[in-house]
Amino acid sequence: MGAPLIGARVERKEDYRFLTGAGQYTDDVELPRQSYAVFVRSPHAHAILKKISLDQARKAPGFIAAYTGEDFAAAKLGGLPCGWLITDVNGQPMKEPPHPCLAQGKVRHVGDQVAIVIAETSAQARDAAELVAVDYKVLPAVVDGAKARAKGAPQLHDIAPDNTCYVWAIGDKAVADAAFAKAAHVTKLEFINNRLIPNAMEPRVANGAYSRADDSYTLYVASQNPHVERLLMTAFVMGLPEHKVRVVAGDVGGGFGSKIYLYAEDVAVTWAAKQVNRPVKWTSDRSEAFLTDAHGRDHHTVAELAMDKDGKFLAMRVKTTANVGAYLSTFASCVPTILYATLLAGQYKTPVIHCEVTAVFTNTTPVDAYRGAGRPEATYVVERLVETAAREMKLDPAEIRRRNFITEFPYQTPVALQYDIGDYNATMDAAQQLADVAGFSKRKEESVKKGKLRGLGYAAYIEACGIAPSAVAGSLGARAGLFEAGEVRVHPTGSVTVFTGSHSHGQGHETTFAQVVADRLGIGIDSVDIVHGDTSKVLFGMGTYGSRSIAVGGTAIVKALDKIVAKGKKIAAHLLEAAETDVVYDRGIYKVAGTDKQKTFGEVAFAAYVPHNYPHDKLEPGLNENAFYDPANFTFPAGTYVCEVEVDPETGVVKIDKFTAVDDFGKIINPMIVEGQVHGGLTQGIGQALTESCQYDATGQLLTGSFMDYCLPRATDVPFYQVDTRETPCTHNPLGVKGCGEAGAIGAPAALMNAITDALGVKDMPMPATPQAVWKVLNNKQAA
Amino acid sequence: MAVKVSLKVNGKSVVAEVEERTLLVTVIREHLRLTGTHVGCDTAQCGACTVSMNGRAVKSCSMLAMQAEGTEVMTIEGVAHADGTLHPMQAAFKEHHGLQCGFCTPGMVINAIDFAKHHPDPSEQEIREALEGNLCRCTGYHNIVKAIGAGARAMAASK
């Protein structure tokens, strides 16, 4: 066969359908006798539900049914579970208040579900829902995580005194304190990692169906992990056997974390489908998405870095309050702990790290993993500290990093992780060159001539991806395994269908995974199709998040491919009348070493399905294998980002002049797709730093509840990016891959804020650096 | 009250019976089952619902169906050639990896085709400004901007 496919810029197999309008997103699924649901939601951030009256709604045209929390309680539907148990500093389990699908007696954030109304059309459902009369007794609300534990703050949950979910810590505080006492210099920062609203372009959709014929359910849902969705819904909420529930997540229009979770609406439409004996579809509008999709970030942090006189890092202390919102979303508890504090070593040999995290409930939308999930927050802490330290110690910011880079691997950090491999000087070197750091001072002079301010900032990030070794995750509190599954089905004529438990919602698995399969089997990529997103087709899966697809899902497929090749070898040996040990497989052909005897992959596949001449005494017919792969370790993508900005001091407008990203993702399967992932991640990171911020007023009303108020980056907000890669192959998976989906969002905010603070000549600058915020900081500086 | 709306969609005459309040996008998606046109917001900001009406890109979520009476509408399903070959703009998006999840893509392509008709050799800045009404959360726009430039030049060359 032709050139190797691993490493090739192959155009995407999925694009034709997306470009011609033939994608099948969940809202495009219309079932026979379809009905439509609308949720009645709380307009208050905190209130007691005194009375819900459905009388008027029942009279509305097209009304089919309506249910409230009372109906759900009577049906013994459980609350939504949290998938990760955090044990606090006193050895106690975190507080897990009930998270009802429909409110039970109380609402705790604007948008909290109060009732589901089902009608013949979506417009009729909306009309009927408006006729549901709810009598609320409004309570005072607490919104700001930093104020949630204050004396007299409104209390959300009886079982969580002081609105505290947990106080958790990692590292030895006494040792850290001792190192700080000896430090020549300490850099300290206090900042907020702003709350973000994910905003995948496709809003969430759930369409539940029930069949009396076999007492089974089907849920079509915009999800990143259909098997996880099914497991959580059946085992923890509805008490249904899994074999009676099929979950289908077809084409999904972006996720970024927000479609990992089991949401109340998913359960409600599935349960209601049986009650009304018709399919029930709910399609979120954007306003609902702002109010109910799990948000991201929202940390308040004080961080300190201790150094010796040469800028060598001695210790780090971090104290963070994480606002988890009104309830614990599916993975909310592990994001500000396991996925955050364990990354605080960054790329550096900091010997001692102590981090304490307090997670608090507030009257806001639940917060969970959003692209990067904990790792952008950690990178922001480390890289803002390091850059600030360099400025305070009058060291070059690249030089202080180089003095502290980890250079020997494997490296055991003081915060649990063991990095397998990396070359941080290599990505730093490449980034400095590509960004033309040497020419910065000249460009700065030119900016000054124009009356502009110019700044340059670095971020040398690391992330833990390929989530996750199940035993390690389990010991840290995970309530699920985090392996992946794959199946390779070779058809009689030699074409191949591969089923993966990973899920693509923009990442291009149908192409990347097909490249891996075609390359390793030595067959044409057009002979390979990838199937994902349907529990009735795919054997099992944990889905896609944490940049895990290629490292974990791809490896599961490789393991299954190895079994296919091995069985094929036995068949070929029989056909070629040779010893199995003499048969080699070379890019689509089984050959007997040292002879011209050979059989193609297709011939072997045919023999497996038309087994007239076949070793029946030793082998089963057919050519179909599956594999489960549980990773030995996390993977550790890392890189250096360099951002250069020009600021107009008159207006406070920040222009990103250059953004350079050099990443080490290990082996790369499709550079075109990888670059696209980096571009998208960078833009979300730039969004956090420059334009996006979720804002509530003091009563808990969301002020940024539409694209008119919440500023998603537009095309004019971002530049063309300069991206490149360096490669240290992952040591513990057969492809040598690490994952690339989140890097951009992890590294970009710190690089951008380091550049802006450099330009402004200030230490602190809150995110997002909107023109108004920048202008204020500049004016305060001048006034001071 | 139901009203009748007659229009041409992708070259075919259609008559839809709708409520007065029905939006054009609802007719396209729900009555005609042309689900390539998407709804990504409720404030006319995202552009996922963009269709071509009498040759101009419009947001079908911001028009009543009745306002489309007598018009010629082209949705993403009508963009490729009859034999399935991609339009040069669609081909440019594929070649330049100008799409990831695909949800914003139909609106991007329809808007880009209208833009390219008036800008046969657009600059980066012109393209970025032309995307003012289209949001994408996946690509960071980098490859969309490249694709539109290439697509516009390919359209001009094929004239």
PDB file of all heavy atoms in Angstrom, chain A residues 12 16 19 25 27-28 127 198 286-287 680 692 713-715, chain B residues 21 29 33 40 42 45 84 90 100-101 128 132 137-138 140-141:
ATOM      1  N   ARG A  12     -10.698  15.324   6.123  1.00  0.00           N
ATOM      2  CA  ARG A  12     -11.578  14.570   7.018  1.00  0.00           C
ATOM      3  C   ARG A  12     -12.690  13.820   6.280  1.00  0.00           C
ATOM      4  O   ARG A  12     -13.363  14.373   5.412  1.00  0.00           O
ATOM      5  CB  ARG A  12     -12.186  15.498   8.056  1.00  0.00           C
ATOM      6  CG  ARG A  12     -11.150  16.162   8.959  1.00  0.00           C
ATOM      7  CD  ARG A  12     -11.733  16.622  10.264  1.00  0.00           C
ATOM      8  NE  ARG A  12     -13.036  17.242  10.108  1.00  0.00           N
ATOM      9  CZ  ARG A  12     -13.834  17.538  11.129  1.00  0.00           C
ATOM     10  NH1 ARG A  12     -13.454  17.280  12.369  1.00  0.00           N
ATOM     11  NH2 ARG A  12     -15.001  18.100  10.923  1.00  0.00           N
ATOM     12  N   TYR A  16     -17.784  15.807   4.380  1.00  0.00           N
ATOM     13  CA  TYR A  16     -18.775  15.900   3.301  1.00  0.00           C
ATOM     14  C   TYR A  16     -20.185  16.054   3.877  1.00  0.00           C
ATOM     15  O   TYR A  16     -20.953  16.912   3.450  1.00  0.00           O
ATOM     16  CB  TYR A  16     -18.700  14.684   2.366  1.00  0.00           C
ATOM     17  CG  TYR A  16     -19.618  14.844   1.176  1.00  0.00           C
ATOM     18  CD1 TYR A  16     -19.167  15.476   0.015  1.00  0.00           C
ATOM     19  CD2 TYR A  16     -20.944  14.410   1.217  1.00  0.00           C
ATOM     20  CE1 TYR A  16     -20.011  15.664  -1.075  1.00  0.00           C
ATOM     21  CE2 TYR A  16     -21.798  14.590   0.140  1.00  0.00           C
ATOM     22  CZ  TYR A  16     -21.328  15.218  -1.005  1.00  0.00           C
ATOM     23  OH  TYR A  16     -22.168  15.411  -2.065  1.00  0.00           O
ATOM     24  N   LEU A  19     -20.678  19.486   5.441  1.00  0.00           N
ATOM     25  CA  LEU A  19     -20.665  20.590   4.467  1.00  0.00           C
ATOM     26  C   LEU A  19     -21.910  20.612   3.587  1.00  0.00           C
ATOM     27  O   LEU A  19     -22.189  21.621   2.935  1.00  0.00           O
ATOM     28  CB  LEU A  19     -19.417  20.481   3.585  1.00  0.00           C
ATOM     29  CG  LEU A  19     -18.136  20.978   4.248  1.00  0.00           C
ATOM     30  CD1 LEU A  19     -16.916  20.450   3.524  1.00  0.00           C
ATOM     31  CD2 LEU A  19     -18.124  22.507   4.286  1.00  0.00           C
ATOM     32  N   TYR A  25     -27.581  15.733  13.778  1.00  0.00           N
ATOM     33  CA  TYR A  25     -27.466  16.152  15.172  1.00  0.00           C
ATOM     34  C   TYR A  25     -28.745  15.734  15.898  1.00  0.00           C
ATOM     35  O   TYR A  25     -29.759  15.407  15.269  1.00  0.00           O
ATOM     36  CB  TYR A  25     -27.249  17.662  15.248  1.00  0.00           C
ATOM     37  CG  TYR A  25     -25.988  18.104  14.543  1.00  0.00           C
ATOM     38  CD1 TYR A  25     -26.006  18.402  13.189  1.00  0.00           C
ATOM     39  CD2 TYR A  25     -24.777  18.168  15.219  1.00  0.00           C
ATOM     40  CE1 TYR A  25     -24.843  18.772  12.523  1.00  0.00           C
ATOM     41  CE2 TYR A  25     -23.613  18.535  14.562  1.00  0.00           C
ATOM     42  CZ  TYR A  25     -23.651  18.844  13.215  1.00  0.00           C
ATOM     43  OH  TYR A  25     -22.504  19.201  12.565  1.00  0.00           O
ATOM     44  N   ASP A  27     -31.099  17.175  17.505  1.00  0.00           N
ATOM     45  CA  ASP A  27     -32.366  17.851  17.226  1.00  0.00           C
ATOM     46  C   ASP A  27     -32.907  17.494  15.841  1.00  0.00           C
ATOM     47  O   ASP A  27     -34.076  17.711  15.555  1.00  0.00           O
ATOM     48  CB  ASP A  27     -32.208  19.380  17.341  1.00  0.00           C
ATOM     49  CG  ASP A  27     -33.561  20.094  17.297  1.00  0.00           C
ATOM     50  OD1 ASP A  27     -34.474  19.660  18.029  1.00  0.00           O
ATOM     51  OD2 ASP A  27     -33.710  21.052  16.510  1.00  0.00           O
ATOM     52  N   ASP A  28     -32.057  16.952  14.979  1.00  0.00           N
ATOM     53  CA  ASP A  28     -32.518  16.546  13.647  1.00  0.00           C
ATOM     54  C   ASP A  28     -33.290  15.227  13.700  1.00  0.00           C
ATOM     55  O   ASP A  28     -33.932  14.844  12.718  1.00  0.00           O
ATOM     56  CB  ASP A  28     -31.329  16.396  12.691  1.00  0.00           C
ATOM     57  CG  ASP A  28     -30.511  17.683  12.577  1.00  0.00           C
ATOM     58  OD1 ASP A  28     -31.065  18.756  12.890  1.00  0.00           O
ATOM     59  OD2 ASP A  28     -29.332  17.605  12.194  1.00  0.00           O
ATOM     60  N   ASP A 127     -46.085  27.487  25.136  1.00  0.00           N
ATOM     61  CA  ASP A 127     -47.280  28.224  25.574  1.00  0.00           C
ATOM     62  C   ASP A 127     -47.824  27.629  26.872  1.00  0.00           C
ATOM     63  O   ASP A 127     -48.180  28.348  27.812  1.00  0.00           O
ATOM     64  CB  ASP A 127     -48.367  28.180  24.498  1.00  0.00           C
ATOM     65  CG  ASP A 127     -47.988  29.015  23.274  1.00  0.00           C
ATOM     66  OD1 ASP A 127     -47.093  29.871  23.391  1.00  0.00           O
ATOM     67  OD2 ASP A 127     -48.608  28.801  22.210  1.00  0.00           O
ATOM     68  N   PRO A 198     -19.553  27.479  28.701  1.00  0.00           N
ATOM     69  CA  PRO A 198     -18.894  26.759  27.600  1.00  0.00           C
ATOM     70  C   PRO A 198     -19.405  27.132  26.205  1.00  0.00           C
ATOM     71  O   PRO A 198     -18.613  27.379  25.303  1.00  0.00           O
ATOM     72  CB  PRO A 198     -19.173  25.291  27.922  1.00  0.00           C
ATOM     73  CG  PRO A 198     -19.380  25.265  29.399  1.00  0.00           C
ATOM     74  CD  PRO A 198     -20.039  26.565  29.741  1.00  0.00           C
ATOM     75  N   ARG A 286     -30.689  28.854  23.528  1.00  0.00           N
ATOM     76  CA  ARG A 286     -29.416  29.373  24.002  1.00  0.00           C
ATOM     77  C   ARG A 286     -29.536  29.995  25.386  1.00  0.00           C
ATOM     78  O   ARG A 286     -28.626  29.889  26.213  1.00  0.00           O
ATOM     79  CB  ARG A 286     -28.839  30.376  22.985  1.00  0.00           C
ATOM     80  CG  ARG A 286     -27.483  30.944  23.340  1.00  0.00           C
ATOM     81  CD  ARG A 286     -26.397  29.903  23.520  1.00  0.00           C
ATOM     82  NE  ARG A 286     -26.210  29.083  22.336  1.00  0.00           N
ATOM     83  CZ  ARG A 286     -25.365  28.060  22.281  1.00  0.00           C
ATOM     84  NH1 ARG A 286     -24.622  27.717  23.331  1.00  0.00           N
ATOM     85  NH2 ARG A 286     -25.270  27.350  21.184  1.00  0.00           N
ATOM     86  N   SER A 287     -30.670  30.626  25.639  1.00  0.00           N
ATOM     87  CA  SER A 287     -30.848  31.230  26.965  1.00  0.00           C
ATOM     88  C   SER A 287     -30.810  30.156  28.044  1.00  0.00           C
ATOM     89  O   SER A 287     -30.204  30.351  29.110  1.00  0.00           O
ATOM     90  CB  SER A 287     -32.185  31.971  27.027  1.00  0.00           C
ATOM     91  OG  SER A 287     -32.221  32.973  26.050  1.00  0.00           O
ATOM     92  N   GLY A 680      -8.413  26.132  18.071  1.00  0.00           N
ATOM     93  CA  GLY A 680      -9.671  26.264  18.819  1.00  0.00           C
ATOM     94  C   GLY A 680      -9.433  26.435  20.310  1.00  0.00           C
ATOM     95  O   GLY A 680     -10.076  27.252  20.971  1.00  0.00           O
ATOM     96  N   GLU A 692     -14.411  36.895  27.717  1.00  0.00           N
ATOM     97  CA  GLU A 692     -15.508  36.139  28.326  1.00  0.00           C
ATOM     98  C   GLU A 692     -15.508  36.249  29.842  1.00  0.00           C
ATOM     99  O   GLU A 692     -14.463  36.092  30.470  1.00  0.00           O
ATOM    100  CB  GLU A 692     -15.392  34.648  27.985  1.00  0.00           C
ATOM    101  CG  GLU A 692     -15.547  34.338  26.528  1.00  0.00           C
ATOM    102  CD  GLU A 692     -15.382  32.852  26.253  1.00  0.00           C
ATOM    103  OE1 GLU A 692     -15.895  32.027  27.027  1.00  0.00           O
ATOM    104  OE2 GLU A 692     -14.715  32.524  25.257  1.00  0.00           O
ATOM    105  N   PRO A 713     -15.455  34.971  21.608  1.00  0.00           N
ATOM    106  CA  PRO A 713     -14.566  35.583  20.619  1.00  0.00           C
ATOM    107  C   PRO A 713     -15.136  35.453  19.201  1.00  0.00           C
ATOM    108  O   PRO A 713     -15.666  34.409  18.833  1.00  0.00           O
ATOM    109  CB  PRO A 713     -13.273  34.763  20.738  1.00  0.00           C
ATOM    110  CG  PRO A 713     -13.325  34.153  22.080  1.00  0.00           C
ATOM    111  CD  PRO A 713     -14.776  33.931  22.379  1.00  0.00           C
ATOM    112  N   ARG A 714     -15.040  36.538  18.462  1.00  0.00           N
ATOM    113  CA  ARG A 714     -15.413  36.524  17.050  1.00  0.00           C
ATOM    114  C   ARG A 714     -14.147  36.562  16.207  1.00  0.00           C
ATOM    115  O   ARG A 714     -13.038  36.745  16.735  1.00  0.00           O
ATOM    116  CB  ARG A 714     -16.320  37.720  16.736  1.00  0.00           C
ATOM    117  CG  ARG A 714     -17.697  37.563  17.340  1.00  0.00           C
ATOM    118  CD  ARG A 714     -18.592  38.763  17.092  1.00  0.00           C
ATOM    119  NE  ARG A 714     -19.756  38.675  17.955  1.00  0.00           N
ATOM    120  CZ  ARG A 714     -20.910  38.080  17.606  1.00  0.00           C
ATOM    121  NH1 ARG A 714     -21.066  37.585  16.405  1.00  0.00           N
ATOM    122  NH2 ARG A 714     -21.901  38.013  18.462  1.00  0.00           N
ATOM    123  N   ALA A 715     -14.327  36.450  14.910  1.00  0.00           N
ATOM    124  CA  ALA A 715     -13.162  36.323  14.017  1.00  0.00           C
ATOM    125  C   ALA A 715     -12.228  37.522  14.118  1.00  0.00           C
ATOM    126  O   ALA A 715     -11.019  37.391  13.932  1.00  0.00           O
ATOM    127  CB  ALA A 715     -13.631  36.121  12.581  1.00  0.00           C
TER     128      ALA A 715
ATOM    129  N   ARG B  21     -46.875  33.328  13.684  1.00  0.00           N
ATOM    130  CA  ARG B  21     -45.646  33.562  14.443  1.00  0.00           C
ATOM    131  C   ARG B  21     -44.502  32.637  14.017  1.00  0.00           C
ATOM    132  O   ARG B  21     -43.396  32.745  14.537  1.00  0.00           O
ATOM    133  CB  ARG B  21     -45.917  33.357  15.934  1.00  0.00           C
ATOM    134  CG  ARG B  21     -46.317  31.929  16.282  1.00  0.00           C
ATOM    135  CD  ARG B  21     -46.515  31.769  17.788  1.00  0.00           C
ATOM    136  NE  ARG B  21     -47.068  30.464  18.116  1.00  0.00           N
ATOM    137  CZ  ARG B  21     -47.217  30.018  19.362  1.00  0.00           C
ATOM    138  NH1 ARG B  21     -46.878  30.782  20.380  1.00  0.00           N
ATOM    139  NH2 ARG B  21     -47.721  28.835  19.588  1.00  0.00           N
ATOM    140  N   ARG B  29     -36.643  23.710   8.835  1.00  0.00           N
ATOM    141  CA  ARG B  29     -36.237  22.530   9.595  1.00  0.00           C
ATOM    142  C   ARG B  29     -37.372  21.547   9.826  1.00  0.00           C
ATOM    143  O   ARG B  29     -37.208  20.336   9.669  1.00  0.00           O
ATOM    144  CB  ARG B  29     -35.653  22.932  10.967  1.00  0.00           C
ATOM    145  CG  ARG B  29     -34.250  23.492  10.924  1.00  0.00           C
ATOM    146  CD  ARG B  29     -33.706  23.744  12.326  1.00  0.00           C
ATOM    147  NE  ARG B  29     -33.718  22.529  13.145  1.00  0.00           N
ATOM    148  CZ  ARG B  29     -32.800  21.572  13.059  1.00  0.00           C
ATOM    149  NH1 ARG B  29     -31.795  21.686  12.226  1.00  0.00           N
ATOM    150  NH2 ARG B  29     -32.894  20.493  13.811  1.00  0.00           N
ATOM    151  N   ARG B  33     -38.136  19.595   6.611  1.00  0.00           N
ATOM    152  CA  ARG B  33     -37.159  18.625   7.115  1.00  0.00           C
ATOM    153  C   ARG B  33     -35.775  18.815   6.477  1.00  0.00           C
ATOM    154  O   ARG B  33     -35.047  17.848   6.242  1.00  0.00           O
ATOM    155  CB  ARG B  33     -37.642  17.175   6.928  1.00  0.00           C
ATOM    156  CG  ARG B  33     -38.918  16.828   7.659  1.00  0.00           C
ATOM    157  CD  ARG B  33     -38.773  16.833   9.182  1.00  0.00           C
ATOM    158  NE  ARG B  33     -37.755  15.925   9.671  1.00  0.00           N
ATOM    159  CZ  ARG B  33     -37.000  16.162  10.735  1.00  0.00           C
ATOM    160  NH1 ARG B  33     -37.141  17.253  11.444  1.00  0.00           N
ATOM    161  NH2 ARG B  33     -36.099  15.285  11.114  1.00  0.00           N
ATOM    162  N   GLY B  40     -28.579  28.011  16.663  1.00  0.00           N
ATOM    163  CA  GLY B  40     -27.558  28.001  17.702  1.00  0.00           C
ATOM    164  C   GLY B  40     -27.768  29.055  18.772  1.00  0.00           C
ATOM    165  O   GLY B  40     -27.060  29.076  19.766  1.00  0.00           O
ATOM    166  N   ASP B  42     -30.720  32.445  20.258  1.00  0.00           N
ATOM    167  CA  ASP B  42     -32.053  33.026  20.166  1.00  0.00           C
ATOM    168  C   ASP B  42     -31.974  34.549  20.127  1.00  0.00           C
ATOM    169  O   ASP B  42     -32.925  35.242  20.475  1.00  0.00           O
ATOM    170  CB  ASP B  42     -32.940  32.536  21.316  1.00  0.00           C
ATOM    171  CG  ASP B  42     -32.189  32.460  22.638  1.00  0.00           C
ATOM    172  OD1 ASP B  42     -31.173  33.185  22.787  1.00  0.00           O
ATOM    173  OD2 ASP B  42     -32.601  31.686  23.521  1.00  0.00           O
ATOM    174  N   GLN B  45     -27.360  36.142  16.843  1.00  0.00           N
ATOM    175  CA  GLN B  45     -25.927  36.406  16.963  1.00  0.00           C
ATOM    176  C   GLN B  45     -25.046  35.356  16.296  1.00  0.00           C
ATOM    177  O   GLN B  45     -23.965  35.692  15.818  1.00  0.00           O
ATOM    178  CB  GLN B  45     -25.547  36.480  18.453  1.00  0.00           C
ATOM    179  CG  GLN B  45     -26.149  37.656  19.182  1.00  0.00           C
ATOM    180  CD  GLN B  45     -25.529  38.961  18.750  1.00  0.00           C
ATOM    181  OE1 GLN B  45     -24.327  39.132  18.821  1.00  0.00           O
ATOM    182  NE2 GLN B  45     -26.353  39.880  18.283  1.00  0.00           N
ATOM    183  N   GLY B  84     -23.672  15.929  -6.600  1.00  0.00           N
ATOM    184  CA  GLY B  84     -23.060  15.754  -5.283  1.00  0.00           C
ATOM    185  C   GLY B  84     -21.680  16.377  -5.158  1.00  0.00           C
ATOM    186  O   GLY B  84     -21.123  16.442  -4.061  1.00  0.00           O
ATOM    187  N   GLN B  90     -17.459  25.030  -0.437  1.00  0.00           N
ATOM    188  CA  GLN B  90     -17.502  23.828   0.413  1.00  0.00           C
ATOM    189  C   GLN B  90     -16.167  23.077   0.312  1.00  0.00           C
ATOM    190  O   GLN B  90     -15.613  22.630   1.322  1.00  0.00           O
ATOM    191  CB  GLN B  90     -18.639  22.894  -0.038  1.00  0.00           C
ATOM    192  CG  GLN B  90     -20.038  23.452   0.239  1.00  0.00           C
ATOM    193  CD  GLN B  90     -21.104  22.603  -0.441  1.00  0.00           C
ATOM    194  OE1 GLN B  90     -21.002  22.279  -1.628  1.00  0.00           O
ATOM    195  NE2 GLN B  90     -22.152  22.252   0.311  1.00  0.00           N
ATOM    196  N   GLN B 100     -15.004  21.817  12.330  1.00  0.00           N
ATOM    197  CA  GLN B 100     -14.731  20.721  13.260  1.00  0.00           C
ATOM    198  C   GLN B 100     -16.024  20.000  13.596  1.00  0.00           C
ATOM    199  O   GLN B 100     -16.339  18.975  13.033  1.00  0.00           O
ATOM    200  CB  GLN B 100     -13.979  21.237  14.486  1.00  0.00           C
ATOM    201  CG  GLN B 100     -12.538  21.653  14.107  1.00  0.00           C
ATOM    202  CD  GLN B 100     -11.690  22.112  15.273  1.00  0.00           C
ATOM    203  OE1 GLN B 100     -11.939  21.785  16.420  1.00  0.00           O
ATOM    204  NE2 GLN B 100     -10.656  22.900  14.984  1.00  0.00           N
ATOM    205  N   CYS B 101     -16.840  20.569  14.493  1.00  0.00           N
ATOM    206  CA  CYS B 101     -18.079  19.854  14.840  1.00  0.00           C
ATOM    207  C   CYS B 101     -19.116  19.989  13.742  1.00  0.00           C
ATOM    208  O   CYS B 101     -20.064  19.211  13.682  1.00  0.00           O
ATOM    209  CB  CYS B 101     -18.637  20.309  16.176  1.00  0.00           C
ATOM    210  SG  CYS B 101     -19.602  21.844  16.135  1.00  0.00           S
ATOM    211  N   ARG B 128     -12.427  38.498   8.078  1.00  0.00           N
ATOM    212  CA  ARG B 128     -12.742  38.496   9.513  1.00  0.00           C
ATOM    213  C   ARG B 128     -13.951  39.397   9.798  1.00  0.00           C
ATOM    214  O   ARG B 128     -14.830  39.047  10.588  1.00  0.00           O
ATOM    215  CB  ARG B 128     -11.532  38.925  10.340  1.00  0.00           C
ATOM    216  CG  ARG B 128     -10.415  37.872  10.356  1.00  0.00           C
ATOM    217  CD  ARG B 128      -9.310  38.190  11.347  1.00  0.00           C
ATOM    218  NE  ARG B 128      -8.222  37.235  11.241  1.00  0.00           N
ATOM    219  CZ  ARG B 128      -8.176  36.052  11.871  1.00  0.00           C
ATOM    220  NH1 ARG B 128      -9.160  35.687  12.680  1.00  0.00           N
ATOM    221  NH2 ARG B 128      -7.151  35.231  11.698  1.00  0.00           N
ATOM    222  N   GLU B 132     -18.580  38.713  11.156  1.00  0.00           N
ATOM    223  CA  GLU B 132     -19.108  39.394  12.335  1.00  0.00           C
ATOM    224  C   GLU B 132     -20.383  38.713  12.853  1.00  0.00           C
ATOM    225  O   GLU B 132     -20.621  38.657  14.050  1.00  0.00           O
ATOM    226  CB  GLU B 132     -19.400  40.856  11.959  1.00  0.00           C
ATOM    227  CG  GLU B 132     -19.429  41.819  13.119  1.00  0.00           C
ATOM    228  CD  GLU B 132     -20.823  42.008  13.672  1.00  0.00           C
ATOM    229  OE1 GLU B 132     -21.774  41.783  12.898  1.00  0.00           O
ATOM    230  OE2 GLU B 132     -20.956  42.364  14.849  1.00  0.00           O
ATOM    231  N   ARG B 137     -17.194  27.962  17.769  1.00  0.00           N
ATOM    232  CA  ARG B 137     -16.524  27.717  19.043  1.00  0.00           C
ATOM    233  C   ARG B 137     -15.369  26.732  18.890  1.00  0.00           C
ATOM    234  O   ARG B 137     -14.604  26.552  19.831  1.00  0.00           O
ATOM    235  CB  ARG B 137     -17.566  27.193  20.045  1.00  0.00           C
ATOM    236  CG  ARG B 137     -17.142  27.191  21.507  1.00  0.00           C
ATOM    237  CD  ARG B 137     -16.750  28.544  22.043  1.00  0.00           C
ATOM    238  NE  ARG B 137     -16.913  28.657  23.493  1.00  0.00           N
ATOM    239  CZ  ARG B 137     -16.345  29.608  24.223  1.00  0.00           C
ATOM    240  NH1 ARG B 137     -15.581  30.520  23.657  1.00  0.00           N
ATOM    241  NH2 ARG B 137     -16.570  29.667  25.521  1.00  0.00           N
ATOM    242  N   CYS B 138     -15.273  26.082  17.733  1.00  0.00           N
ATOM    243  CA  CYS B 138     -14.275  25.009  17.583  1.00  0.00           C
ATOM    244  C   CYS B 138     -12.970  25.460  16.946  1.00  0.00           C
ATOM    245  O   CYS B 138     -11.894  25.072  17.388  1.00  0.00           O
ATOM    246  CB  CYS B 138     -14.816  23.878  16.705  1.00  0.00           C
ATOM    247  SG  CYS B 138     -16.197  22.948  17.363  1.00  0.00           S
ATOM    248  N   GLY B 140     -11.468  28.461  16.170  1.00  0.00           N
ATOM    249  CA  GLY B 140     -10.703  29.686  16.392  1.00  0.00           C
ATOM    250  C   GLY B 140     -10.624  30.541  15.150  1.00  0.00           C
ATOM    251  O   GLY B 140      -9.800  31.451  15.077  1.00  0.00           O
ATOM    252  N   TYR B 141     -11.449  30.219  14.169  1.00  0.00           N
ATOM    253  CA  TYR B 141     -11.608  30.985  12.915  1.00  0.00           C
ATOM    254  C   TYR B 141     -10.411  30.876  11.973  1.00  0.00           C
ATOM    255  O   TYR B 141     -10.532  31.195  10.785  1.00  0.00           O
ATOM    256  CB  TYR B 141     -11.924  32.473  13.195  1.00  0.00           C
ATOM    257  CG  TYR B 141     -13.126  32.672  14.076  1.00  0.00           C
ATOM    258  CD1 TYR B 141     -12.983  32.960  15.432  1.00  0.00           C
ATOM    259  CD2 TYR B 141     -14.417  32.532  13.575  1.00  0.00           C
ATOM    260  CE1 TYR B 141     -14.083  33.130  16.257  1.00  0.00           C
ATOM    261  CE2 TYR B 141     -15.533  32.695  14.395  1.00  0.00           C
ATOM    262  CZ  TYR B 141     -15.355  32.996  15.736  1.00  0.00           C
ATOM    263  OH  TYR B 141     -16.452  33.154  16.557  1.00  0.00           O
TER     264      TYR B 141
END
